[in-house]
Amino acid sequence: MIISHTHKFIFIKSFKTAGTSIDTALSNYCSGNDIVTPLNDFRHNRNEKGEFLHNAMNADAYIKLDLPNLQHVEAHIIKEMETPEVWNNYFKFSIARNPWDRAISDYYWNLRNNPALKPKKRFYHHLGVPFDEINHLRNLISEFIKNTKLLSNDPFYVIDNELCVDSVIRYENLIEDFHNICKKLGLPKIDLPRLKGGIRAGGYHYSEYYDEETREIVAEQHKNDIRLFGYKFENL
C-alpha cells in the first residue's frame, strides 16, 4: 500500500494482480512524508538479479495495527486511518483480474508450501508411460477450489458494495493502464520490475483447469468482480 502526499495518490494493493511490481515501482518515486508499507524480504520480492527494489517508509502507524498482511491494507482501514481530506481528494486506485484466472494463480501460490497440491508421477511414468499433467491438475485444482475460501479483492476497492476507488487497473491490460495512471499523476512512464515470476508453470489457459461446478464456485465468490468489471469465463 502507498499513500503519497507528494503526488496525492493512494495505491491499494490487491491479491495476485502484479501489485508487488506496481508497489515497488511507485515506491521509488516516494519521499518525505509519503507512506509505503513494507514487503517481506523474500526471494520472490526480488528481481531477476536478486535485488530488493522496494522502498518502505513512514509506515509505523499501520505496522502498529498488527494487520494480518501489511502489504494488503484494506480500503476501509485506510479510510479510517487517514483524514477525510486525504481519502476524499487523493487519487485512489487498485488492480482487478479475471477471477477464474486469479483463482488458478492462487492455487499455484499455495502450491509453493503445500506439496499435497502438486501432481505426482507414479513409478510407471518414469518408465516411459505418458504423464497426463493437465488431467491431474484439473483434479487437484477442483479440490482446491471446492475446499478453499478463495481470495477476494473486494476489500481493496469495494466499500458498502460500491466501488470506492477512482480507477481500477485491469491485470489483462496492466502496462497500458499503469502508464495511463502515471500520466494522470504527473509521473514519468515507469517500467515495471518483474517480481514473483516463475511461480505458475505449465503454460495452460485458465479455462483448461475448470469444469462447470468449479466455474460456478468462482463466479459465486467473485460477484463484484463480475458485476463491476464485466469479467466473463472465456474459453481458450
Side-chain angles (χ1 to χ4, degrees), residues 100 142 145-146 210-219:
W100 292 278
S142 178
I145 290 174
K146 291 174 184 176
Y210 285 91
D211 57 28
E212 186 173 348
E213 181 181 5
T214 51
R215 282 176 57 177
E216 289 304 315
I217 290 172
V218 172

Side-chain angles (χ1 to χ4, degrees), residues 18-186:
T20 298
S21 294
I22 288 183
D23 198 309
T24 297
L26 291 174
S27 75
N28 289 280
Y29 287 83
C30 291
S31 60
N33 294 324
D34 294 350
I35 299 169
V36 183
T37 54
L39 303 178
N40 294 320
D41 190 12
F42 294 152
R43 175 190 58 79
H44 54 252
N45 288 333
R46 298 171 178 272
N47 67 7
E48 296 93 332
K49 297 179 181 178
E51 299 166 326
F52 191 72
L53 307 176
H54 185 269
N55 290 315
M57 59 189 76
N58 305 318
D60 288 352
Y62 286 89
I63 292 172
K64 289 177 183 177
L65 295 177
D66 196 24
L67 300 171
N69 195 329
L70 195 57
Q71 300 177 49
H72 303 278
V73 183
E74 298 179 359
H76 75 93
I77 295 175
I78 300 172
K79 185 177 181 180
E80 292 164 7
M81 289 285 290
E82 302 303 320
T83 65
E85 180 183 4
V86 168
W87 177 260
N88 293 329
N89 296 327
Y90 282 24
F91 184 80
K92 301 179 290 293
F93 65 102
S94 187
I95 320 172
R97 181 177 184 178
N98 181 297
W100 292 278
D101 186 32
R102 191 162 57 83
I104 303 303
S105 182
D106 191 13
Y107 162 81
Y108 277 102
W109 184 250
N110 281 272
L111 176 61
R112 297 171 307 120
N113 300 315
N114 186 354
L117 295 174
K118 185 175 183 178
K120 294 179 176 60
K121 291 184 178 182
R122 304 294 184 183
F123 75 93
Y124 47 79
H125 294 125
H126 297 283
L127 298 176
V129 177
F131 179 60
D132 187 357
E133 182 185 52
I134 187 62
N135 190 51
H136 286 275
L137 283 169
R138 282 194 198 101
N139 293 332
L140 289 166
I141 289 172
S142 178
E143 291 303 310
F144 175 78
I145 290 174
K146 291 174 184 176
N147 298 315
T148 305
K149 176 140 180 75
L150 299 171
L151 295 173
S152 171
N153 277 336
D154 284 6
F156 307 111
Y157 42 68
V158 174
I159 294 179
D160 296 332
N161 213 35
E162 296 296 333
L163 201 63
C164 65
V165 295
D166 301 298
S167 183
V168 176
I169 292 172
R170 302 294 187 101
Y171 176 86
E172 299 77 16
N173 198 40
L174 181 68
I175 302 300
E176 183 178 350
D177 285 0
F178 176 60
H179 286 163
N180 287 337
I181 293 286
C182 290
K183 184 177 180 180
K184 183 173 184 64
L185 297 174

